[in-house]
Amino acid sequence: MSKRLLLVAGASLSALMATPGVTWAQTDMIDEVVVTARDKTGLLEKDPSNSVFGLDKALIETPRSASFASDVTLERYGIESIDDLTSISPGTYTASFYGVAGALNIRGTLAENYFRGFKRIENRGTYSTPIANAAQIEIVRGPPTPIYGAGKVGGMLNFVPKSGRIEGEYISEISGEADITVGSYARKEISGQIAIPLSFGTTEGGLSLYAQAENSDSFYRGISPRREIIQASVDFDLGGGWRTAFGGMAFHSDGDVQTPGWNRLTQDLIDNQTYITGRDTSLTDANGDGKLTPNEIGFYPYASAMYLAYYGFPQTDAKHTLDTGVGTTKLDRRTVYISDADFSNTWTRTGYVDLIKDFDNGSALKFQLFYDELKNKRFVSYGYPAQFDSQVGEARVTYDFDYDMGMVTSKSFVGASYRAFDGRRRESFNSGLIALDRRDIAFGATPTDIIDDPFSPETYGLQWENDNSTTWSQAGVFVTSDIFIGERLNLMLGGRYDNYEVESEDTGLVSYQPAGKFEDSQGKGTYTVSATYQFDFGLMPYITYAESSALEMSQAGDISPSLIQSDAWLSDSDLAETGVKFQLLQGTLVGSIAGYRQNRTQLTGGPNPTVRGSRSKGVELEIRYLATENLSFTFAGNNQRTTIKGPDASFAYIPYYVTGVDPVNAFGGTYVVWAFSDLPGRGGDYAYTLIPRTVLSLYGSYTSEEYDWGQFGGVFGATYVSETSQTVENPITYPEYTTANLSMFYRRGPFQASVNVDNVFDELFFTPAADSYANLAALPGKGREWRLTLKRSF
């Protein structure tokens, strides 16, 4: 068993030796030093993490690129959504998924979300992933550990909620806090948490309960998010070496509306905010219901005479042409693509149960159950309705044990898991009704640019064009060993084998999917191998290689029948990574530098989902420095390049200028290609330029001593993002930018006031859209925003 020693940063080793009861022999046994006196911003780990390999191991000693953010860091840095994690974690810049922060983009590709080590249902942009009341957020770059199940190598975000057991000890007294937040754009939010000891005779335990409610407007006009969260965690010591933990989270959002941002893109719009105005009046809302139904557009029932999009190009006609209000205007960045008809309503429910037996020899047996549910209804008025209803459950049993052969010691686990999914995805976007540029957003939404949806029944209304029902299961066995050879060489070996069974059927009206039910099964193995060498002077070089596999899931976690038919539903990925972790200046300067090369896949959208391969390589640097007992600094930076492997057969909407059509004769409709590789210069590999090559974040934090009159502190820093662009040839480019953020707090006794200012200097910047519309839209970044939080602790 390793010893833990709390060493005040800046103290010398001789001062350590002067501590009563500490000998030189004992210092040789210490493999973990936790610096406490200077860490007032929660930058260093208090406990080892099991997020990377499933074994308790400090991230600074783990042979993989990984970051964490404690609850203190999240509060001090003003981190409220996963997009804000760029400030502390390299490689996590995320392109706009229609303005909804659902998933991180790590190393150029979408990452996966986990809750206490269990994978959640896919969330690309269905709802804003909640991170409130986190005890810790862990960001792992690379594949998940074998215990977590198979997954892609891009990366993962693991949410660890607060619990009734903190640092191995159960809650001993009642404590809690109540918060109220107000801010710009009618920001209104209340939250509260309470921790209660639970003791029944000899049974010891604790309860952590949290609730939050928000009802606000937003920087973008017409978007007013309303969210509610309830979290509960209960931990008990049952005696006889047995303990249990159970709890969960319920989340509801109403108003997390998707928006592509700005349409009708030109370089002049990006550089000077000059927007081309005008509307097409050739189509009319004949029945006066405030939108265009299919028969009003020119076809019904669904037949081959579909609207505008799918005849190829160039094509101009009256429906494509702007015939009134044509001109230019300066566009306000708060004005985005939105209408009163847009909505999004989401419910998620997440639960878990752990039963653990700790044996006297240090081994442990764990039984774990997990459940996650997603229900979402949404409508984006350019013509995208969706309804998701998905649930997934997982059972896992793990046995942890140690082994000591003198020179060789190890910590290992073996186990088995079973995961089952049942989901239904309903969407409509296949009939060619979507024309993103049709709306003049400077003028505002009109009935002739709002497309019908299946939620409101009409005789000639839009129907569900995709209606895909999927069940799949994954049964696996896994093993991982953390092996020390002597005191310096560390090997990490892990692997798992899974058997998958999948079944899907799409009964949508215009699904572009093969008719009937499709099913398949397949076994697949994954593994990871890592080596680290620990030097006396605080450097730990490492090397890692991993091969992994994962299901190709759509937005509801389902699998398209066409992927099963073509045997493309299970994809491979691989990672090679090397780097150096360091702990210098008596543990006050920690960080890592890593270089990587990875190959993985991403499922694209559109009528016929396509598995697209990508190759990424890059360098990442992370530094956390506790300069004094009051001052600390963080740096997170990366330089990367992601390449799409050609030929890219994905469906895509393309900008007017690629077709050679004048914008006035194009913006009323839209143009598409069924294979992106058909475009000029895109027949082979091409650079994925929606993600910047370079992102750099530098922040400084100051926290005063505690005085009779209180304590104060603040964090100030900036993030630099290099240029991005569309992915077509001769693209529109989005300039580099730098945004600065400021956080300050004052605390006296049980009271605290915090002020956060985001984008302090009101920088104008853009993030490109994603998926099929990546070349048609860009979201202007939020301008300066502020919020004030008042807290009462008890």
Side-chain angles (χ1 to χ4, degrees):
M1 297 292 293
S2 63
K3 290 182 177 289
R4 164 171 290 185
L5 185 69
L6 299 183
L7 174 63
V8 175
S12 64
L13 187 58
S14 59
L16 168 63
M17 290 301 302
T19 304
V22 176
T23 67
W24 282 104
Q26 287 174 317
T27 61
D28 291 338
M29 299 172 59
I30 296 169
D31 60 14
E32 183 181 347
V33 177
V34 182
V35 180
T36 59
R38 294 187 180 183
D39 193 16
K40 294 182 170 65
T41 316
L43 297 177
L44 303 187
E45 287 181 282
K46 294 181 179 179
D47 288 301
S49 170
N50 61 10
S51 62
V52 180
F53 288 104
L55 294 163
D56 289 340
K57 192 177 185 71
L59 290 181
I60 194 64
E61 298 175 356
T62 300
R64 281 270 295 281
S65 183
S67 307
F68 83 99
S70 67
D71 56 342
V72 177
T73 303
L74 294 172
E75 179 181 357
R76 292 286 190 268
Y77 278 62
I79 295 172
E80 292 194 307
S81 77
I82 61 173
D83 286 350
D84 299 330
L85 292 169
T86 301
S87 61
I88 59 168
S89 177
T92 56
Y93 174 88
T94 300
S96 168
F97 206 93
Y98 310 106
V100 179
L104 274 179
N105 195 304
I106 299 179
R107 291 181 171 176
T109 50
L110 285 177
E112 298 166 322
N113 292 329
Y114 286 71
F115 185 94
R116 295 182 78 251
F118 287 86
K119 187 188 298 185
R120 303 197 64 187
I121 294 172
E122 192 92 350
N123 176 25
R124 299 183 187 178
T126 301
Y127 62 95
S128 295
T129 297
I131 60 173
N133 198 46
Q136 184 162 295
I137 299 289
E138 298 164 339
I139 303 163
V140 179
R141 294 172 282 279
T145 172
I147 195 175
Y148 289 174
K152 296 182 180 180
V153 302
M156 55 172 280
L157 180 147
N158 187 34
F159 174 87
V160 183
K162 293 180 180 177
S163 71
R165 191 167 182 258
I166 305 172
E167 297 182 37
E169 302 292 333
Y170 293 96
I171 294 171
S172 58
E173 61 180 5
I174 296 177
S175 63
E177 63 183 43
D179 302 61
I180 182 170
T181 299
V182 296
S184 52
Y185 309 109
R187 171 73 178 269
K188 301 180 293 293
E189 180 184 304
I190 58 172
S191 63
Q193 57 180 297
I194 187 169
I196 303 174
L198 300 176
S199 298
F200 305 95
T202 59
T203 300
E204 185 181 15
L207 164 67
S208 176
L209 186 64
Y210 174 82
Q212 180 194 82
E214 178 186 359
N215 187 349
S216 306
D217 292 333
S218 76
F219 177 80
Y220 304 115
R221 295 186 183 94
I223 299 179
S224 300
R226 295 178 296 279
R227 306 183 183 104
E228 299 87 36
I229 303 172
I230 297 177
Q231 288 180 22
S233 300
V234 179
D235 293 74
F236 277 115
D237 184 343
L238 303 177
W242 288 93
R243 54 189 170 92
T244 187
F246 55 90
M249 176 175 68
F251 170 79
H252 172 251
S253 71
D254 183 12
D256 240 343
V257 178
Q258 292 185 334
T259 175
W262 283 3
N263 62 351
R264 302 187 179 182
L265 296 182
T266 64
Q267 195 64 57
D268 194 25
L269 175 62
I270 299 302
D271 294 342
N272 303 302
Q273 297 76 65
T274 302
Y275 183 77
I276 297 175
T277 62
R279 303 178 302 284
D280 163 54
T281 61
S282 65
L283 297 176
T284 60
D285 175 24
N287 64 3
D289 64 355
K291 55 192 173 183
L292 291 177
T293 51
N295 62 307
E296 293 169 335
I297 293 172
F299 74 93
Y300 200 90
Y302 286 85
S304 60
M306 292 185 288
Y307 169 56
L308 300 184
Y310 298 159
Y311 282 139
F313 60 84
Q315 175 184 332
T316 60
D317 56 19
K319 297 173 184 178
H320 276 82
T321 303
L322 306 182
D323 55 31
T324 185
V326 176
T328 60
T329 189
K330 292 291 185 181
L331 200 58
D332 178 1
R333 57 177 153 163
R334 291 192 61 202
T335 299
V336 294
Y337 199 112
I338 198 72
S339 80
D340 292 339
D342 293 69
F343 70 88
S344 182
N345 191 298
T346 301
W347 276 98
T348 70
R349 298 175 179 88
T350 308
Y352 66 91
V353 178
D354 294 352
L355 180 63
I356 303 170
K357 168 64 174 178
D358 295 312
F359 297 98
D360 292 339
N361 63 358
S363 62
L365 183 64
K366 301 177 184 178
F367 302 92
Q368 296 177 287
L369 297 175
F370 174 76
Y371 175 80
D372 194 28
E373 179 183 32
L374 166 65
K375 295 182 183 294
N376 171 261
K377 291 182 179 181
R378 85 183 88 157
F379 177 59
V380 187
S381 55
Y382 57 68
Y384 174 65
Q387 183 171 349
F388 301 160
D389 189 352
S390 302
Q391 45 273 324
V392 67
E394 183 172 345
R396 181 188 298 167
V397 58
T398 311
Y399 180 64
D400 299 345
F401 59 95
D402 300 342
Y403 194 73
D404 190 342
M405 295 186 297
M407 280 290 293
V408 179
T409 61
S410 69
K411 296 179 180 180
S412 305
F413 64 76
V414 296
S417 64
Y418 180 79
R419 185 175 176 92
F421 171 88
D422 186 358
R424 183 181 183 186
R425 170 179 55 89
R426 285 176 279 185
E427 298 175 302
S428 291
F429 51 74
N430 292 333
S431 57
L433 304 182
I434 295 176
L436 202 66
D437 287 331
R438 181 171 177 81
R439 179 176 300 166
D440 179 348
I441 65 173
F443 184 85
T446 69
T448 62
D449 54 51
I450 298 174
I451 307 301
D452 189 33
D453 65 83
F455 300 112
S456 51
E458 281 105 1
T459 303
Y460 299 104
L462 191 73
Q463 301 181 40
W464 290 117
E465 296 165 0
N466 285 101
D467 189 347
N468 189 46
S469 296
T470 294
T471 59
W472 56 260
S473 63
Q474 174 185 349
V477 293
F478 51 84
V479 60
T480 295
S481 289
D482 181 9
I483 304 169
F484 269 93
I485 302 175
E487 297 182 354
R488 303 189 185 281
L489 182 60
N490 180 207
L491 302 178
M492 297 287 295
L493 308 174
R496 66 177 291 137
Y497 184 85
D498 290 280
N499 183 70
Y500 301 88
E501 295 184 355
V502 296
E503 180 181 290
S504 290
E505 182 177 13
D506 196 321
T507 58
L509 194 62
V510 190
S511 70
Y512 289 95
Q513 292 293 305
K517 185 178 294 184
F518 288 80
E519 56 186 49
D520 196 6
S521 62
Q522 186 174 340
K524 199 76 171 180
T526 64
Y527 69 91
T528 179
V529 180
S530 303
T532 305
Y533 191 83
Q534 300 183 0
F535 289 100
D536 278 338
F537 44 85
L539 295 182
M540 291 166 284
Y542 71 89
I543 187 170
T544 290
Y545 183 78
E547 292 189 0
S548 189
S549 62
L551 296 168
E552 291 294 350
M553 294 180 288
S554 298
Q555 289 194 57
D558 61 304
I559 298 173
S560 296
S562 60
L563 298 180
I564 301 176
Q565 183 187 49
S566 61
D567 196 29
W569 55 275
L570 187 63
S571 296
D572 296 327
S573 54
D574 62 75
L575 167 74
E577 178 179 312
T578 185
V580 177
K581 302 284 183 85
F582 52 86
Q583 298 183 82
L584 306 172
L585 303 180
Q586 296 177 305
T588 63
L589 177 64
V590 301
S592 65
I593 183 170
Y596 67 90
R597 188 258 332 147
Q598 69 180 31
N599 294 280
R600 63 160 286 175
T601 60
Q602 187 78 54
L603 186 68
T604 64
N608 191 18
T610 302
V611 178
R612 184 174 66 187
S614 67
R615 177 176 59 255
S616 302
K617 59 182 179 180
V619 178
E620 298 161 342
L621 174 63
E622 181 175 5
I623 299 173
R624 301 186 179 192
Y625 177 40
L626 310 182
T628 71
E629 292 197 13
N630 307 104
L631 188 62
S632 61
F633 298 93
T634 60
F635 175 83
N638 70 281
N639 182 273
Q640 66 85 37
R641 181 179 177 87
T642 299
T643 301
I644 301 300
K645 297 179 180 179
D648 181 357
S650 62
F651 172 91
Y653 289 83
I654 59 173
Y656 69 94
Y657 61 84
V658 174
T659 72
V661 178
D662 180 86
V664 174
N665 295 321
F667 282 161
T670 195
Y671 302 102
V672 305
V673 287
W674 289 90
F676 195 74
S677 58
D678 290 342
L679 292 175
R682 294 297 179 262
D685 296 354
Y686 65 92
Y688 189 68
T689 52
L690 302 177
I691 300 296
R693 292 286 301 271
T694 303
V695 179
L696 308 172
S697 293
L698 177 63
Y699 279 75
S701 172
Y702 178 83
T703 304
S704 75
E705 302 296 334
E706 294 188 23
Y707 299 103
D708 293 340
W709 46 265
Q711 186 182 33
F712 69 94
V715 175
F716 179 76
T719 297
Y720 164 81
V721 178
S722 65
E723 177 184 277
T724 56
S725 72
Q726 297 172 321
T727 57
V728 294
E729 197 173 42
N730 301 315
I732 293 171
T733 60
Y734 310 107
E736 63 183 7
Y737 63 89
T738 301
T739 56
N741 298 319
L742 172 67
S743 302
M744 297 180 293
F745 79 93
Y746 171 74
R747 181 172 57 230
R748 183 174 183 181
F751 298 97
Q752 177 175 300
S754 301
V755 176
N756 296 86
V757 183
D758 298 331
N759 196 358
V760 174
F761 302 112
D762 204 27
E763 178 84 351
L764 174 64
F765 63 97
F766 298 89
T767 53
D771 211 44
S772 300
Y773 311 109
N775 290 295
L776 286 194
L779 184 68
K782 295 179 180 180
R784 185 186 300 113
E785 294 182 294
W786 64 270
R787 62 187 180 274
L788 168 67
T789 300
L790 302 178
K791 179 190 298 185
R792 171 64 160 89
S793 302
F794 58 90

